[in-house]
Amino acid sequence: MKRVVITGGDGFVGSNAVTYFLNQGVEVVALDLNRCPNRLKEHPLLHYICLDISAIRESLREIPEFVYDAWIHFAWDGSAGEKRFDYQLQMRNALDCVECVKVAKEIGCNKFIGAGSIMEKEVDAIMRQQGSKPGMAYIYGMGKLIAHYMSKTVAANIGIDFLWPLITNTYGVGERSPRFINTTITKALKGEKLAFTSGIQNYDFVYIDDMAKAFYLIYENGVPFHEYVIGSGFARPLKEFIVEMLDTIGCMENVSFGSQPYTGVNLELESFNTDNLVNDTGFKADVTFVEGIQRTTEWLSKKIE
């Protein structure tokens, strides 16, 4: 039987990945800080363990002595909100990731799959610009980039296969953090004013179900020491996504573009290219942006009510 360890297994992204793996008949040992899972439901193939990743070495004995295929690492504190600016926290996240690579090797995993971010490419682009003045929001991406490079190097030197997906922007039912889609839909439903940048920067979004499927396919078919962009495959300027989102939920009033400054970098559309993922794993997004927004809006409407 196939068996994996998934850290951050009770978070938004992690829990959906756990559920997808379970549905494919994979036995999952899910690690998370919550004493009892808030999102995960009981399943005969699920083993849930309350465990602090920052103390993984001390807690190693709590992980069942099974034969594992892979370690999939979603645990990351401060992926949204002001914690993104905390450089000490983000550096600890990166170091914890490296330690998990070593632990994965020690318990017999054949491969380690991380959860990177498209912001890694943004960090690289803005840091190479002469005279650039990066904002503090890039600290999060820097943490991911450091985790990526250090973990890959350690993996290569201790003999464990390493794969690093780069998530564009995940959204969907169950998301509780103040990320862009959630915040925008919630404000629109409440009739609040919506102010955006000009929206010319390129973006992509991937619905949570497709994200989970992508990780499973990378686990099954990904090429060791490759990185994969996980997205819809249809990246475009952010304004087009925003207009389509607001038109879908019928809230085009009180909207302004260009009233908010944008000081980041605009990645080329090629940065969002998912060809490697498609060619190596056969991935194809099933949920269109409109359908994903409809599902998310229905869920958020009930929460607001």
Side-chain angles (χ1 to χ4, degrees):
M1 176 179 290
K2 296 179 179 179
R3 187 181 293 115
V4 301
V5 174
I6 298 183
T7 69
D10 197 41
F12 172 57
V13 176
S15 63
N16 280 275
V18 168
T19 301
Y20 194 93
F21 274 71
L22 292 172
N23 290 339
Q24 306 309 309
V26 179
E27 189 171 3
V28 178
V29 174
L31 311 180
D32 202 280
L33 276 172
N34 298 327
R35 186 172 298 278
C36 295
N38 295 320
R39 299 174 185 268
L40 293 175
K41 298 179 181 179
E42 290 187 8
H43 191 285
L45 294 178
L46 174 64
H47 309 272
Y48 180 82
I49 301 173
C50 175
L51 191 150
D52 186 353
I53 293 301
S54 64
I56 188 66
R57 181 66 56 185
E58 294 83 350
S59 306
L60 193 55
R61 64 184 181 279
E62 298 180 33
I63 301 176
E65 294 183 6
F66 294 149
V67 175
Y68 294 100
D69 300 304
W71 183 294
I72 304 169
H73 188 64
F74 292 112
W76 194 277
D77 190 12
S79 59
E82 293 191 0
K83 282 187 174 182
R84 280 189 166 216
F85 312 155
D86 188 336
Y87 55 87
Q88 292 182 333
L89 172 63
Q90 299 301 337
M91 184 61 76
R92 286 198 300 273
N93 284 329
L95 294 174
D96 289 344
C97 183
V98 177
E99 196 63 28
C100 283
V101 172
K102 295 165 64 178
V103 169
K105 173 65 176 180
E106 290 174 21
I107 67 173
C109 294
N110 297 316
K111 65 185 72 172
F112 180 94
I113 303 174
S117 168
I118 195 68
M119 283 195 71
E120 295 175 43
K121 294 191 176 188
E122 293 184 35
V123 167
D124 185 63
I126 198 166
M127 295 304 289
R128 292 179 184 276
Q129 282 185 357
Q130 295 284 26
S132 66
K133 297 181 179 180
M136 289 298 289
Y138 283 105
I139 295 294
Y140 165 76
M142 292 174 187
K144 287 288 187 179
L145 191 63
I146 292 169
H148 180 174
Y149 288 177
M150 289 198 301
S151 296
K152 183 177 183 178
T153 301
V154 169
N157 283 272
I158 64 176
I160 182 173
D161 287 344
F162 178 88
L163 300 99
W164 194 262
L166 298 174
I167 303 173
T168 51
N169 293 277
T170 303
Y171 72 101
V173 173
E175 170 69 279
R176 299 168 186 165
S177 63
R179 293 170 62 83
F180 182 76
I181 294 290
N182 259 23
T183 301
T184 301
I185 293 177
T186 300
K187 286 184 176 180
L189 291 175
K190 291 181 177 180
E192 298 179 14
K193 183 177 180 180
L194 297 170
F196 304 104
T197 66
S198 59
I200 61 171
Q201 63 270 37
N202 292 319
Y203 247 70
D204 197 7
F205 293 93
V206 59
Y207 190 71
I208 186 63
D209 293 1
D210 285 326
M211 185 285 311
K213 182 177 74 169
F215 268 88
Y216 177 76
L217 291 175
I218 290 170
Y219 156 74
E220 282 279 284
N221 306 310
V223 179
F225 294 95
H226 281 216
E227 67 178 44
Y228 295 100
V229 174
I230 299 179
S232 71
F234 299 97
R236 47 191 163 134
L238 177 60
K239 184 176 181 179
E240 293 184 21
F241 281 108
I242 295 174
V243 170
E244 188 171 45
M245 171 170 50
L246 297 179
D247 184 58
T248 299
I249 60 180
C251 296
M252 290 298 295
E253 300 83 8
N254 299 321
V255 180
S256 64
F257 288 96
S259 58
Q260 297 296 313
Y262 180 69
T263 58
V265 294
N266 185 12
L267 293 176
E268 298 290 335
L269 285 175
E270 181 61 27
S271 297
F272 299 88
N273 191 306
T274 60
D275 285 353
N276 288 342
L277 177 63
V278 174
N279 294 335
D280 289 351
T281 73
F283 172 80
K284 180 182 179 181
D286 295 321
V287 183
T288 66
F289 186 65
V290 169
E291 183 180 354
I293 292 301
Q294 289 172 337
R295 295 183 189 181
T296 307
T297 300
E298 181 180 355
W299 178 73
L300 285 172
S301 297
K302 293 177 181 178
K303 285 179 62 66
I304 292 173
E305 290 174 0

mmCIF file of all heavy atoms in Angstrom, residues 135-163:
data_model
loop_
_atom_site.group_PDB
_atom_site.id
_atom_site.type_symbol
_atom_site.label_atom_id
_atom_site.label_comp_id
_atom_site.label_asym_id
_atom_site.label_seq_id
_atom_site.Cartn_x
_atom_site.Cartn_y
_atom_site.Cartn_z
ATOM 1 N N GLY A 135 9.323 45.653 -1.027
ATOM 2 C CA GLY A 135 8.453 45.837 0.125
ATOM 3 C C GLY A 135 8.576 44.661 1.074
ATOM 4 O O GLY A 135 9.055 43.582 0.715
ATOM 5 N N MET A 136 8.103 44.849 2.302
ATOM 6 C CA MET A 136 8.228 43.803 3.323
ATOM 7 C C MET A 136 7.411 42.556 2.980
ATOM 8 O O MET A 136 7.702 41.474 3.483
ATOM 9 C CB MET A 136 7.785 44.348 4.685
ATOM 10 C CG MET A 136 8.763 45.350 5.293
ATOM 11 S SD MET A 136 10.386 44.625 5.623
ATOM 12 C CE MET A 136 9.997 43.539 7.006
ATOM 13 N N ALA A 137 6.416 42.694 2.113
ATOM 14 C CA ALA A 137 5.613 41.534 1.746
ATOM 15 C C ALA A 137 6.446 40.465 1.041
ATOM 16 O O ALA A 137 6.053 39.295 0.998
ATOM 17 C CB ALA A 137 4.455 41.960 0.847
ATOM 18 N N TYR A 138 7.597 40.864 0.513
ATOM 19 C CA TYR A 138 8.453 39.898 -0.174
ATOM 20 C C TYR A 138 9.198 38.982 0.800
ATOM 21 O O TYR A 138 9.790 37.992 0.376
ATOM 22 C CB TYR A 138 9.469 40.623 -1.059
ATOM 23 C CG TYR A 138 8.872 41.131 -2.349
ATOM 24 C CD1 TYR A 138 8.610 42.489 -2.527
ATOM 25 C CD2 TYR A 138 8.555 40.262 -3.384
ATOM 26 C CE1 TYR A 138 8.052 42.960 -3.695
ATOM 27 C CE2 TYR A 138 7.994 40.725 -4.563
ATOM 28 C CZ TYR A 138 7.749 42.073 -4.715
ATOM 29 O OH TYR A 138 7.187 42.527 -5.877
ATOM 30 N N ILE A 139 9.168 39.293 2.083
ATOM 31 C CA ILE A 139 9.853 38.456 3.070
ATOM 32 C C ILE A 139 9.335 37.018 3.008
ATOM 33 O O ILE A 139 10.091 36.053 3.099
ATOM 34 C CB ILE A 139 9.697 39.034 4.489
ATOM 35 C CG1 ILE A 139 10.413 40.393 4.604
ATOM 36 C CG2 ILE A 139 10.223 38.059 5.534
ATOM 37 C CD1 ILE A 139 11.913 40.311 4.479
ATOM 38 N N TYR A 140 8.038 36.869 2.852
ATOM 39 C CA TYR A 140 7.437 35.533 2.746
ATOM 40 C C TYR A 140 8.036 34.763 1.571
ATOM 41 O O TYR A 140 8.448 33.602 1.701
ATOM 42 C CB TYR A 140 5.927 35.654 2.588
ATOM 43 C CG TYR A 140 5.237 34.397 2.105
ATOM 44 C CD1 TYR A 140 5.020 33.321 2.970
ATOM 45 C CD2 TYR A 140 4.799 34.287 0.783
ATOM 46 C CE1 TYR A 140 4.385 32.169 2.525
ATOM 47 C CE2 TYR A 140 4.159 33.139 0.337
ATOM 48 C CZ TYR A 140 3.965 32.085 1.208
ATOM 49 O OH TYR A 140 3.341 30.947 0.774
ATOM 50 N N GLY A 141 8.072 35.399 0.408
ATOM 51 C CA GLY A 141 8.632 34.751 -0.770
ATOM 52 C C GLY A 141 10.100 34.417 -0.602
ATOM 53 O O GLY A 141 10.582 33.404 -1.111
ATOM 54 N N MET A 142 10.811 35.291 0.118
ATOM 55 C CA MET A 142 12.228 35.032 0.376
ATOM 56 C C MET A 142 12.405 33.781 1.228
ATOM 57 O O MET A 142 13.310 32.980 1.007
ATOM 58 C CB MET A 142 12.865 36.240 1.065
ATOM 59 C CG MET A 142 12.964 37.469 0.186
ATOM 60 S SD MET A 142 13.550 38.919 1.091
ATOM 61 C CE MET A 142 13.345 40.202 -0.155
ATOM 62 N N GLY A 143 11.512 33.624 2.217
ATOM 63 C CA GLY A 143 11.563 32.435 3.054
ATOM 64 C C GLY A 143 11.352 31.181 2.222
ATOM 65 O O GLY A 143 12.052 30.169 2.395
ATOM 66 N N LYS A 144 10.389 31.229 1.307
ATOM 67 C CA LYS A 144 10.128 30.091 0.432
ATOM 68 C C LYS A 144 11.329 29.800 -0.471
ATOM 69 O O LYS A 144 11.688 28.631 -0.700
ATOM 70 C CB LYS A 144 8.891 30.364 -0.431
ATOM 71 C CG LYS A 144 7.566 30.290 0.307
ATOM 72 C CD LYS A 144 7.213 28.843 0.664
ATOM 73 C CE LYS A 144 5.819 28.721 1.253
ATOM 74 N NZ LYS A 144 5.445 27.334 1.575
ATOM 75 N N LEU A 145 11.933 30.862 -0.991
ATOM 76 C CA LEU A 145 13.074 30.685 -1.890
ATOM 77 C C LEU A 145 14.265 30.064 -1.149
ATOM 78 O O LEU A 145 14.933 29.166 -1.668
ATOM 79 C CB LEU A 145 13.474 32.033 -2.485
ATOM 80 C CG LEU A 145 14.479 32.004 -3.638
ATOM 81 C CD1 LEU A 145 13.908 31.271 -4.837
ATOM 82 C CD2 LEU A 145 14.867 33.427 -4.034
ATOM 83 N N ILE A 146 14.500 30.531 0.067
ATOM 84 C CA ILE A 146 15.582 29.969 0.875
ATOM 85 C C ILE A 146 15.306 28.497 1.186
ATOM 86 O O ILE A 146 16.192 27.642 1.083
ATOM 87 C CB ILE A 146 15.752 30.775 2.176
ATOM 88 C CG1 ILE A 146 16.279 32.179 1.861
ATOM 89 C CG2 ILE A 146 16.703 30.067 3.146
ATOM 90 C CD1 ILE A 146 16.241 33.130 3.035
ATOM 91 N N ALA A 147 14.060 28.202 1.568
ATOM 92 C CA ALA A 147 13.688 26.815 1.853
ATOM 93 C C ALA A 147 13.904 25.948 0.617
ATOM 94 O O ALA A 147 14.420 24.823 0.711
ATOM 95 C CB ALA A 147 12.229 26.753 2.298
ATOM 96 N N HIS A 148 13.522 26.453 -0.537
ATOM 97 C CA HIS A 148 13.669 25.738 -1.801
ATOM 98 C C HIS A 148 15.133 25.383 -2.060
ATOM 99 O O HIS A 148 15.483 24.218 -2.259
ATOM 100 C CB HIS A 148 13.111 26.621 -2.921
ATOM 101 C CG HIS A 148 13.190 26.022 -4.287
ATOM 102 N ND1 HIS A 148 12.629 26.642 -5.388
ATOM 103 C CD2 HIS A 148 13.768 24.889 -4.766
ATOM 104 C CE1 HIS A 148 12.830 25.905 -6.459
ATOM 105 N NE2 HIS A 148 13.535 24.839 -6.115
ATOM 106 N N TYR A 149 15.993 26.379 -2.030
ATOM 107 C CA TYR A 149 17.388 26.176 -2.401
ATOM 108 C C TYR A 149 18.147 25.334 -1.375
ATOM 109 O O TYR A 149 18.922 24.445 -1.744
ATOM 110 C CB TYR A 149 18.079 27.519 -2.600
ATOM 111 C CG TYR A 149 17.651 28.257 -3.854
ATOM 112 C CD1 TYR A 149 18.132 29.527 -4.148
ATOM 113 C CD2 TYR A 149 16.744 27.684 -4.760
ATOM 114 C CE1 TYR A 149 17.752 30.197 -5.301
ATOM 115 C CE2 TYR A 149 16.350 28.353 -5.904
ATOM 116 C CZ TYR A 149 16.852 29.601 -6.172
ATOM 117 O OH TYR A 149 16.469 30.254 -7.315
ATOM 118 N N MET A 150 17.918 25.602 -0.106
ATOM 119 C CA MET A 150 18.634 24.836 0.914
ATOM 120 C C MET A 150 18.137 23.394 0.959
ATOM 121 O O MET A 150 18.944 22.454 1.059
ATOM 122 C CB MET A 150 18.494 25.497 2.286
ATOM 123 C CG MET A 150 19.252 26.800 2.428
ATOM 124 S SD MET A 150 19.523 27.308 4.152
ATOM 125 C CE MET A 150 17.845 27.414 4.762
ATOM 126 N N SER A 151 16.837 23.196 0.872
ATOM 127 C CA SER A 151 16.279 21.852 0.937
ATOM 128 C C SER A 151 16.721 21.015 -0.256
ATOM 129 O O SER A 151 17.036 19.824 -0.119
ATOM 130 C CB SER A 151 14.753 21.911 0.990
ATOM 131 O OG SER A 151 14.302 22.551 2.156
ATOM 132 N N LYS A 152 16.735 21.624 -1.429
ATOM 133 C CA LYS A 152 17.155 20.912 -2.630
ATOM 134 C C LYS A 152 18.612 20.463 -2.512
ATOM 135 O O LYS A 152 18.963 19.324 -2.868
ATOM 136 C CB LYS A 152 16.979 21.800 -3.858
ATOM 137 C CG LYS A 152 17.317 21.112 -5.172
ATOM 138 C CD LYS A 152 17.038 22.032 -6.353
ATOM 139 C CE LYS A 152 17.309 21.317 -7.684
ATOM 140 N NZ LYS A 152 16.988 22.196 -8.848
ATOM 141 N N THR A 153 19.440 21.342 -1.992
ATOM 142 C CA THR A 153 20.860 21.024 -1.833
ATOM 143 C C THR A 153 21.065 19.898 -0.827
ATOM 144 O O THR A 153 21.820 18.948 -1.072
ATOM 145 C CB THR A 153 21.635 22.272 -1.381
ATOM 146 O OG1 THR A 153 21.463 23.313 -2.354
ATOM 147 C CG2 THR A 153 23.116 21.969 -1.228
ATOM 148 N N VAL A 154 20.380 19.998 0.312
ATOM 149 C CA VAL A 154 20.505 18.954 1.334
ATOM 150 C C VAL A 154 19.986 17.624 0.798
ATOM 151 O O VAL A 154 20.609 16.570 0.991
ATOM 152 C CB VAL A 154 19.751 19.367 2.616
ATOM 153 C CG1 VAL A 154 19.646 18.189 3.583
ATOM 154 C CG2 VAL A 154 20.459 20.537 3.296
ATOM 155 N N ALA A 155 18.849 17.657 0.104
ATOM 156 C CA ALA A 155 18.270 16.431 -0.447
ATOM 157 C C ALA A 155 19.245 15.747 -1.407
ATOM 158 O O ALA A 155 19.415 14.518 -1.373
ATOM 159 C CB ALA A 155 16.964 16.744 -1.164
ATOM 160 N N ALA A 156 19.866 16.545 -2.263
ATOM 161 C CA ALA A 156 20.806 15.984 -3.231
ATOM 162 C C ALA A 156 21.986 15.320 -2.548
ATOM 163 O O ALA A 156 22.520 14.318 -3.035
ATOM 164 C CB ALA A 156 21.289 17.083 -4.177
ATOM 165 N N ASN A 157 22.393 15.849 -1.413
ATOM 166 C CA ASN A 157 23.586 15.353 -0.738
ATOM 167 C C ASN A 157 23.333 14.228 0.250
ATOM 168 O O ASN A 157 24.269 13.535 0.658
ATOM 169 C CB ASN A 157 24.304 16.509 -0.046
ATOM 170 C CG ASN A 157 25.085 17.370 -1.025
ATOM 171 O OD1 ASN A 157 26.239 17.103 -1.320
ATOM 172 N ND2 ASN A 157 24.440 18.396 -1.559
ATOM 173 N N ILE A 158 22.059 14.030 0.628
ATOM 174 C CA ILE A 158 21.771 12.908 1.531
ATOM 175 C C ILE A 158 21.070 11.770 0.789
ATOM 176 O O ILE A 158 20.829 10.714 1.361
ATOM 177 C CB ILE A 158 20.922 13.346 2.753
ATOM 178 C CG1 ILE A 158 19.532 13.833 2.322
ATOM 179 C CG2 ILE A 158 21.653 14.409 3.556
ATOM 180 C CD1 ILE A 158 18.619 14.187 3.498
ATOM 181 N N GLY A 159 20.728 11.993 -0.479
ATOM 182 C CA GLY A 159 20.180 10.914 -1.286
ATOM 183 C C GLY A 159 18.697 10.691 -1.182
ATOM 184 O O GLY A 159 18.243 9.560 -1.015
ATOM 185 N N ILE A 160 17.903 11.755 -1.277
ATOM 186 C CA ILE A 160 16.450 11.621 -1.329
ATOM 187 C C ILE A 160 15.943 12.464 -2.491
ATOM 188 O O ILE A 160 16.406 13.592 -2.699
ATOM 189 C CB ILE A 160 15.782 12.060 0.005
ATOM 190 C CG1 ILE A 160 14.260 11.857 -0.063
ATOM 191 C CG2 ILE A 160 16.128 13.493 0.364
ATOM 192 C CD1 ILE A 160 13.553 12.105 1.277
ATOM 193 N N ASP A 161 15.025 11.921 -3.285
ATOM 194 C CA ASP A 161 14.484 12.665 -4.421
ATOM 195 C C ASP A 161 13.738 13.896 -3.923
ATOM 196 O O ASP A 161 13.061 13.851 -2.891
ATOM 197 C CB ASP A 161 13.541 11.786 -5.243
ATOM 198 C CG ASP A 161 14.282 10.741 -6.052
ATOM 199 O OD1 ASP A 161 15.508 10.878 -6.215
ATOM 200 O OD2 ASP A 161 13.631 9.786 -6.520
ATOM 201 N N PHE A 162 13.847 14.966 -4.677
ATOM 202 C CA PHE A 162 13.302 16.256 -4.256
ATOM 203 C C PHE A 162 12.476 16.850 -5.387
ATOM 204 O O PHE A 162 12.916 16.902 -6.538
ATOM 205 C CB PHE A 162 14.457 17.194 -3.889
ATOM 206 C CG PHE A 162 14.050 18.578 -3.486
ATOM 207 C CD1 PHE A 162 13.743 18.870 -2.165
ATOM 208 C CD2 PHE A 162 13.972 19.601 -4.428
ATOM 209 C CE1 PHE A 162 13.380 20.149 -1.781
ATOM 210 C CE2 PHE A 162 13.601 20.891 -4.049
ATOM 211 C CZ PHE A 162 13.314 21.167 -2.726
ATOM 212 N N LEU A 163 11.259 17.285 -5.071
ATOM 213 C CA LEU A 163 10.398 17.960 -6.046
ATOM 214 C C LEU A 163 9.827 19.213 -5.404
ATOM 215 O O LEU A 163 9.478 19.205 -4.221
ATOM 216 C CB LEU A 163 9.259 17.048 -6.508
ATOM 217 C CG LEU A 163 9.696 15.739 -7.181
ATOM 218 C CD1 LEU A 163 9.640 14.594 -6.173
ATOM 219 C CD2 LEU A 163 8.812 15.421 -8.381
#
